[in-house]
Amino acid sequence: MMDKYELVSGLEIHVQLNTRTKIFSADSAAFGADANEHISAVSLGLPGALPKLNKEVVAKAARMGLALNCSINQVNFFDRKNYFYADLPKGYQITQDNQPICENGYIDVVLTSGEEKRIGINRIHLEEDAGKSLHDQDDRFSYVDLNRAGVPLIEIVTEPDIRSSEEASALLTEIRKLVRFLDVGDGNMEEGSLRCDANISVRLKGAQEFGTRCEVKNLNSIRNVRRAIDFEFGRQIKVLEGGGKIIQSTLNFDAEAGTTSPMRSKEEANDYRYFPDPDLAPVHISDEWLAQLKFAMPALPREVSKQLIHDYEINIGDATLIAEDHDLLSFFYEALKTVNNPRTLANWLTGNIRAILNEKGICIAEFDVSPGQLSDVINLVDDKQINPQIAFQQLLPLIMKQGKGSNIDVQNLAAEQNMLTIDNGDELLGFVDEVLNKYQQQVQAYKKGKKGVLGLFVGEVMKMAKGKANPQKVNELVQDKLK
Ligand code: ADP
Ligand code: MG
């Protein structure tokens, strides 16, 4: 029954911007202060108080728009969205309706199948957040905290291009990464700095027309977006199969039960009586400023990782991890100058090194080994001059102890500490003889065809060499001896 139908979904994603001050006043936009500490006449909506646009808000919205391949409307303006609510003292929210700052973009996301999916971005508009009503502080009264009133938001509205809950979660994950990477916001869903409404409808597969949609409001985690979409998909199909009709409505999601329920029937857009805000002049983004904003855009993680894969044959997992972290990426590029094998470098950074950083709870910038020192170590490993375990467990800690500022010659240090592999064939042959002597019974077994004991001989020789031999070479020597 379910597979007759197709899901259609579009998301409205609210991103709180991490500017220092609010969108239309100098009040602090920081999270976590005591109630009503970050307010002024503007946040309170006192008569006669005039809004003044924060330039940084425009810059951050434009950055996000450029990253999402939007066109930037160099002239855009603010509208009033009128409604009455306790946490909205002005009686209207300042937002953008007719002429948003960004339009007509897209984003490519990668699904677990490896398939790429393009999702259209309808628009990005600027708006102010509302305050917060607190209903649990007192038995008789509700309190209002206006710290959040006027905190800058962008709303990213996608086209109804989403066809599965997986696509929705891949999209949100990618948007959150971009928000953080571009330093537009902190993207923290738990604290509400990233919130999402999901519009959901179903239609018979192959149908041209969209079905009637329902909008699930205020989803506060990617997991809940997935759950809400999956639940609605099933619910709407059941209604249709039962001969019913979907009524356009606004829904709440109950995270505990995993179900949706009606909030209020969808207001008609003109109930809000949108009109241009007469207190605010239209926003003009000059050609020069737009050029500057474009110039200042960093290469995006997805492009960088594609390049790493293409230029250095780094695998996709390693490339993604490196490309998403500014500091790790610059460490990588710095080490690349002297490393012989970029793939090993990438592997170490995302494996061994990351494990050390996690364990110490530090970031790569605080790592006590310089990029050059790390490539020296990796080159020794790649040349088979040192066993990887010894390099990682003994040589690296030694370098860390001396610090990245120290002028140590890594190869000399390894030699001094007797960590380099034993190149000397004679010395190794001595070990081989000793081992084969000790295990004569097994040698007989080997000669009768029990090849499995070879591992024992090699292991014993490696032990005698204290790990400082190339296992492959030992293997050859033992086999030669047994011929
Ligand atoms: P409104 O302004 O009434 O909220 P929009 O046209 O701006 O409506 O669309 C809001 C969101 O709903 C967009 O993300 C859009 O992709 C999505 N959407 C529109 N129609 C449908 C539909 N039939 N099914 C699912 N999502 C839809
Ligand atoms: Mg809407």
Side-chain angles (χ1 to χ4, degrees):
M1 171 173 105
M2 301 273 280
D3 48 8
K4 283 202 318 217
Y5 290 91
E6 175 177 62
L7 170 89
V8 173
S9 172
L11 303 184
E12 295 165 89
I13 305 160
H14 298 261
V15 181
Q16 210 176 76
L17 305 183
N18 59 356
T19 52
R20 214 171 46 75
T21 56
K22 292 186 181 178
I23 181 168
F24 300 121
S25 74
D27 296 349
S28 166
F31 180 82
D34 281 343
N36 296 308
E37 284 203 327
H38 296 164
I39 58 172
S40 64
V42 175
S43 298
L44 287 170
L46 297 184
L50 285 175
K52 186 166 180 294
L53 180 60
N54 179 345
K55 190 173 176 186
E56 194 55 24
V57 168
V58 179
K60 292 203 186 235
R63 276 161 78 75
M64 199 64 204
L66 291 170
L68 296 179
N69 308 291
C70 293
S71 52
I72 308 295
N73 288 323
Q74 287 180 250
V75 178
N76 57 87
F77 59 84
F78 289 97
D79 298 280
R80 290 186 180 180
K81 179 180 181 178
N82 299 283
Y83 64 95
F84 176 80
Y85 212 76
D87 60 20
L88 189 74
K90 292 197 302 298
Y92 59 85
Q93 177 195 28
I94 305 178
T95 179
Q96 297 192 306
D97 183 38
N98 264 323
Q99 183 77 325
I101 181 164
C102 314
E103 278 178 300
N104 296 326
Y106 64 84
I107 179 171
D108 292 324
V109 296
V110 183
L111 307 176
T112 39
S113 65
E115 192 196 334
E116 253 190 29
K117 164 88 191 210
R118 178 162 292 185
I119 294 164
I121 302 295
N122 177 283
R123 65 182 185 268
I124 303 177
H125 63 252
L126 288 166
E127 60 188 29
E128 58 177 347
D129 210 342
K132 222 181 197 167
S133 297
L134 309 167
H135 304 295
D136 55 2
Q137 313 273 310
D138 190 276
D139 288 342
R140 292 186 305 152
F141 302 109
S142 281
Y143 291 178
V144 175
D145 175 8
L146 292 175
N147 282 346
R148 209 180 57 185
V151 165
L153 300 176
I154 52 175
E155 180 174 335
I156 303 169
V157 182
T158 79
E159 297 293 349
D161 291 344
I162 296 163
R163 294 288 174 271
S164 69
S165 57
E166 192 208 337
E167 288 178 15
S169 87
L171 170 76
L172 273 170
T173 307
E174 197 62 32
I175 296 256
R176 186 175 56 185
K177 273 185 201 162
L178 278 176
V179 163
R180 289 174 177 169
F181 186 81
L182 296 170
D183 192 28
V184 158
D186 66 26
N188 194 334
M189 288 191 92
E190 293 71 47
E191 286 178 1
S193 30
L194 193 79
R195 312 193 278 272
C196 176
D197 306 335
N199 296 271
I200 300 151
S201 66
V202 300
R203 64 176 172 186
L204 284 172
K205 276 185 185 157
Q208 291 297 307
E209 298 231 324
F210 289 147
T212 305
R213 72 182 141 119
C214 294
E215 181 175 3
V216 186
K217 283 280 183 196
N218 282 324
L219 295 162
N220 62 359
S221 70
I222 294 178
R223 183 167 161 262
N224 283 346
V225 172
R226 270 186 104 120
R227 292 169 72 209
I229 290 177
D230 289 336
F231 177 81
E232 265 303 294
F233 185 55
R235 183 190 73 83
Q236 293 184 16
I237 290 171
K238 253 186 238 149
V239 171
L240 294 176
E241 287 285 313
K245 263 190 164 174
I246 303 297
I247 301 158
Q248 184 165 343
S249 51
T250 308
L251 308 173
N252 275 320
F253 181 67
D254 179 340
E256 230 159 81
T259 58
T260 62
S261 59
M263 197 150 85
R264 52 188 143 96
S265 62
K266 173 100 184 160
E267 307 93 321
E268 292 297 318
N270 60 11
D271 271 357
Y272 289 125
R273 291 176 179 267
Y274 283 103
F275 65 87
D277 191 315
D279 286 345
L280 284 156
V283 183
H284 284 271
I285 300 174
S286 67
D287 292 345
E288 284 113 300
W289 193 25
L290 185 58
Q292 273 172 25
L293 289 169
K294 284 185 179 164
F295 182 74
M297 286 292 286
L300 300 180
R302 296 247 300 139
E303 294 156 26
V304 173
S305 77
K306 270 188 186 161
Q307 205 177 358
L308 292 179
I309 294 165
H310 178 265
D311 293 356
Y312 309 111
E313 295 178 351
I314 289 168
N315 72 49
I316 181 164
D318 289 353
T320 310
L321 282 170
I322 293 171
E324 275 166 9
D325 181 333
H326 281 295
D327 291 341
L328 196 58
L329 185 64
S330 34
F331 192 100
F332 173 82
Y333 279 133
E334 195 54 39
L336 200 59
K337 290 178 185 163
T338 48
V339 87
N340 298 330
N341 187 342
R343 291 181 56 154
T344 320
L345 171 62
N347 234 291
W348 273 61
L349 284 178
T350 58
N352 284 342
I353 304 299
R354 204 157 65 115
I356 297 181
L357 299 179
N358 284 346
E359 192 191 298
K360 294 187 175 283
I362 56 174
C363 61
I364 188 80
E366 299 164 299
F367 186 41
D368 253 336
V369 176
S370 72
Q373 290 167 342
L374 183 66
S375 28
D376 289 347
V377 174
I378 290 175
N379 287 342
L380 288 178
V381 173
D382 249 21
D383 288 348
K384 305 230 161 27
Q385 290 194 59
I386 190 168
N387 174 305
Q389 270 88 29
I390 295 182
F392 178 63
Q393 287 164 4
Q394 298 173 29
L395 183 53
L396 261 191
L398 211 59
I399 299 173
M400 283 161 72
K401 227 187 255 164
Q402 312 214 9
K404 59 183 157 191
S406 64
N407 232 343
I408 30 173
D409 180 319
V410 170
Q411 170 134 25
N412 276 349
L413 180 69
E416 263 169 41
Q417 298 291 322
N418 217 357
M419 290 175 183
L420 296 180
T421 29
I422 302 164
D423 268 341
N424 186 335
D426 289 346
E427 194 176 349
L428 282 181
L429 269 179
F431 294 152
V432 172
D433 284 337
E434 228 175 287
V435 167
L436 296 185
N437 242 330
K438 186 170 158 198
Y439 292 100
Q440 284 185 16
Q441 248 180 331
Q442 283 82 350
V443 170
Q444 291 314 315
Y446 178 88
K447 289 188 170 157
K448 281 185 197 142
K450 204 173 163 220
K451 303 292 181 202
V453 288
L454 188 65
L456 169 74
F457 305 146
V458 174
E460 287 297 306
V461 173
M462 290 298 292
K463 247 190 237 163
M464 293 186 72
K466 302 208 171 66
K468 291 179 300 178
N470 173 357
Q472 217 173 325
K473 189 166 175 192
V474 173
N475 206 304
E476 281 163 23
L477 288 176
V478 173
Q479 289 202 50
D480 273 354
K481 255 275 137 77
L482 288 168
K483 259 186 201 150

